[in-house]
Amino acid sequence: MRNHAGKRMRKRLLLIVTALLAPLLVLGIRLLLSHAADSFTTGALTFDPKHSPATSFLLGPFTVEWNPEQGGHLVVNHEHAPGQVVWSTLPGVAFASAGQGCEKVTESHGSFDIRDTRKHVCTEQTIDSIVQFPEKVVVSGTLTGRNGKEHVGYDFSLELCSPHQLAFHLSISDPRYNRVWLTYASEPDEHFFGFGEQFSHFDLKGKRVPIFVQEQGIGRGLQPITFLANLVAGAGGSWSTSYACVPHYITGKLRSAFLDNSEYAVFDLRKADRVQVHVFASRLSGRILQGESPAKLIEEYTSCIGRMRPLPDWILNGAIVGMQGGTEKVREVWRTLEEHDAPVAAFWLQDWVGPRKTSIGKQLWWNWEVDDKQYPGWLSLINELRASGIRVLTYVNPFLVDVAEKPGAKRNLFKEASDKYFLVRNSSGAPCLIPNTSFSAGMLDLTNPGACTWMKDVIRTQVIGAGASGWMADFGEALPYNARLNSGQSAASFHNEYPEAWARLNREVIDETGHGEDFVFFTRSGYRSSPRYTTLHWLGDQLVTWDGCDGMKTAVTGLLSSGLSGFSFNHSDVGGYTTFSKPLLKYQRGKELLMRWAELNAFTTIYRTHEGNQPEANVQFYTDEETLAHFARFAKVYRAWAFYRKQLVQEAGRTGLPVMRHLFIHYPDDPNTFALSYQQFLVGAELLVVPVLDSGRETVSAYFPRGRWVHVWTGEAYGDAGEGIHQTVAAPIGKPAVFYRDGSNVGPQFIEELRKLKILE
């Protein structure tokens, strides 16, 4: 009996181990199979020296030099930066390559896995001619496969766009070659920053950075949650997955470039001496930027893609209180906030459309109208809050669900859109029903002008018409890769553009009211031109944890990286969002995390709470007297620097500079700043914040760039006037390490405002 029981136990253990290891084995095999596709594409550069002698071309203030020495290479310089190479190719190395490929895409809940199979890759490059036209230099020639059998022509051009911008364009003559690579020089000690919203690393040198908008993932490498999220829904993500990745960077050598392409792209920075850009297309276009500082490069970049317009003053004056639960719950919390004299700008009522229970907790009925059962007396509540100077924000996204079974629904927007052919469709012509958690939804086809007009009318009449001053414009990253669109454009190439189109639709709604400057909508997904349209950005759904994979630390890295790519106004949920309450998978928001996150967000553009997907499992700011008092205290701290925040918001509208800034922006000559990611940041140029990002800590290690910095709470001076220095600083709960630059006008005014609000003696 014991022998049989032992066999059964061993069999069960074997099955359990197999179940756990099988996904890892499959992943390993997939990684091995995709290794060739992920590797660098390299070849030799050849030319006839008689037909390609050393030549120099002038394009405005730019000089493009062809140097045939050491195998031949192109070098771009600018008259304002003598001695600095703005851009160059590698001597003797092919800078253009092309191939034919076929990708396999696996989709799940807005997460995408893209694997590429290549054939007929032409890596050997021959230059036949280098010719200057007005404002343009064109290099033409042939790309050849290593077996010598495949040949295809190419053109590579550099064209003057402005005194500080050169456009580049690489095109392949045969459209069957749907993969193109551009390879150019880097330096071993060059640091790469930007690429939109990057959560795991600020410096991406040595990384392979894919540019494809999608869900950031659950866990993003934190175990066991990533493994389990992948096992159940393929939604664990990785270090590089992002809602708002952008094909743009700035380096520590003050080099900068971006792509105009919207197709899937990869920036491969793994080799010390080069950058290789890979695009799923037969042409690759973008711009090379020149600037004398990071701030100037941000200004040049945002002059191309568009800048976020200044926010209205009302949203900058107090907290945005994220609430669910209905009319009476809002009134109850409002009373407690009044008792603590907390500055409140708005209540954000996500569940205004009515809650529904799903596998991850509480979600919403995606049918954009007030749920009278959840919010009886809605207009009375709106008017009472407005009379006290408090606005109401709601929630909208580009999905629609069938509400045939929802009691009290006045309209079925899903049915209306489906009947009008306004939804994204699958290969058979039926609406794509995209899985979310326990339900599926149809997605608006934003290439259909009729669908856009219809949706704008829904927002105008049912959201703005319901008294809202703004809304969360959620989602935008889940367009299926092989969907059918009304415009005929491939969904693969429109996928990254979808969040731009979603932001544009929302912008058009508020602009068409004639009072667009008074409304605010905030988006989480974005691409290159999203800052042109969105009024406000937020970081999406972090875990309610401290970690650097998907928790509080990633919020800081995401804020700082996105700020380099034009997302000037960005913020996170106070306390994070994603919560799990399973016996072996428990991630719930604790009091300390909530309080430290409130301290962090009091120094970002927006101070906004979120109850999370499982409100009852999380500590909330109103859970007890201690959390409520702490929240109110930092709402006042946030209010105390509103005067400076409004200055920075106006500056962002003129220059594209973010409110929260990595130290690199103002101290590019200090190499110590390159190693910083989430540890600290600047607010504008005058405030330095070193948040506590680990449980149980009451001190921080701060890096003070050159100059003297005055501690807000103690008045003690830190730093060294001549050079940067690391120092340990006390940071108990309630008094985070915040400093102002000695000699700044902002610091004394901030202190005075804190005293008026009775935060400082």
Side-chain angles (χ1 to χ4, degrees), residues 32 199-200 236 358 451 546 590 597 648 697 711 713 715 738:
L32 286 172
F199 294 101
S200 298
T358 70
W546 302 87
W597 212 315
L648 296 175
R697 293 286 300 275
H711 197 295
W713 310 112
V738 181

Side-chain angles (χ1 to χ4, degrees), residues 303-522:
S303 73
C304 300
I305 60 99
R307 297 179 181 133
M308 299 183 78
R309 288 178 253 184
L311 292 161
D313 283 352
W314 65 261
I315 201 169
L316 302 172
N317 286 329
I320 308 298
V321 180
M323 285 290 306
Q324 300 180 86
T327 303
E328 288 309 309
K329 182 69 175 294
V330 172
R331 292 185 191 279
E332 177 188 341
V333 172
W334 181 18
R335 284 193 295 270
T336 61
L337 289 168
E338 286 185 317
E339 290 168 4
H340 286 76
D341 199 26
V344 176
F347 275 84
W348 171 51
L349 306 179
Q350 175 181 308
D351 63 341
W352 75 295
V353 293
R356 64 187 303 182
K357 189 175 181 180
T358 70
S359 59
I360 70 163
K362 286 186 179 179
Q363 289 182 272
L364 309 173
W365 284 103
W366 292 347
N367 189 60
W368 313 120
E369 62 183 12
V370 177
D371 186 304
D372 295 327
K373 182 179 179 181
Q374 181 77 351
Y375 283 96
W378 170 263
L379 289 178
S380 295
L381 177 64
I382 294 266
N383 292 333
E384 288 175 39
L385 288 166
R386 190 64 176 262
S388 295
I390 299 173
R391 307 291 187 102
V392 168
L393 307 176
T394 59
Y395 175 95
V396 180
N397 71 48
F399 287 111
L400 299 166
V401 296
D402 191 342
V403 292
E405 298 180 0
K406 181 182 185 291
K410 304 174 191 69
R411 293 177 67 179
N412 189 330
L413 298 178
F414 170 84
K415 187 175 186 307
E416 289 181 33
S418 180
D419 290 347
K420 294 175 184 291
Y421 295 90
F422 287 166
L423 300 177
V424 170
R425 299 190 168 264
N426 59 27
S427 57
S428 64
C432 284
L433 293 179
I434 300 171
N436 186 266
T437 53
S438 307
F439 64 91
S440 297
M443 190 176 194
L444 279 171
D445 184 345
L446 298 183
T447 72
N448 186 332
C452 294
T453 299
W454 176 83
M455 186 62 179
K456 286 194 292 182
D457 183 67
V458 169
I459 296 174
R460 183 167 46 252
T461 59
Q462 301 198 180
V463 183
I464 297 175
S469 293
W471 51 89
M472 174 185 278
D474 202 1
F475 290 101
E477 66 287 320
L479 179 67
Y481 197 82
N482 293 313
R484 283 175 50 183
L485 300 175
N486 178 77
S487 67
Q489 182 178 352
S490 74
S493 65
F494 188 67
H495 177 91
N496 283 339
E497 295 179 30
Y498 192 96
E500 295 177 329
W502 175 230
R504 183 171 61 245
L505 183 149
N506 284 268
R507 167 63 72 177
E508 288 174 355
V509 172
I510 66 174
D511 284 351
E512 288 165 8
T513 67
H515 302 283
E517 68 281 356
D518 195 48
F519 288 90
V520 175
F521 66 89
F522 45 111

Side-chain angles (χ1 to χ4, degrees), residues 69-124:
E69 301 296 325
Q70 299 177 312
H73 64 293
L74 292 165
V75 180
V76 176
N77 300 100
H78 193 277
E79 66 180 23
H80 289 177
Q84 180 195 20
V85 174
V86 175
W87 185 88
S88 71
T89 63
L90 290 149
V93 175
F95 57 84
S97 305
Q100 298 179 35
C102 181
E103 66 270 34
K104 180 179 180 181
V105 180
T106 305
E107 306 176 29
S108 179
H109 301 80
S111 295
F112 295 78
D113 182 68
I114 299 176
R115 305 284 167 173
D116 196 27
T117 301
R118 300 174 192 162
K119 60 179 181 178
H120 304 316
V121 179
C122 296
T123 59
E124 310 303 304

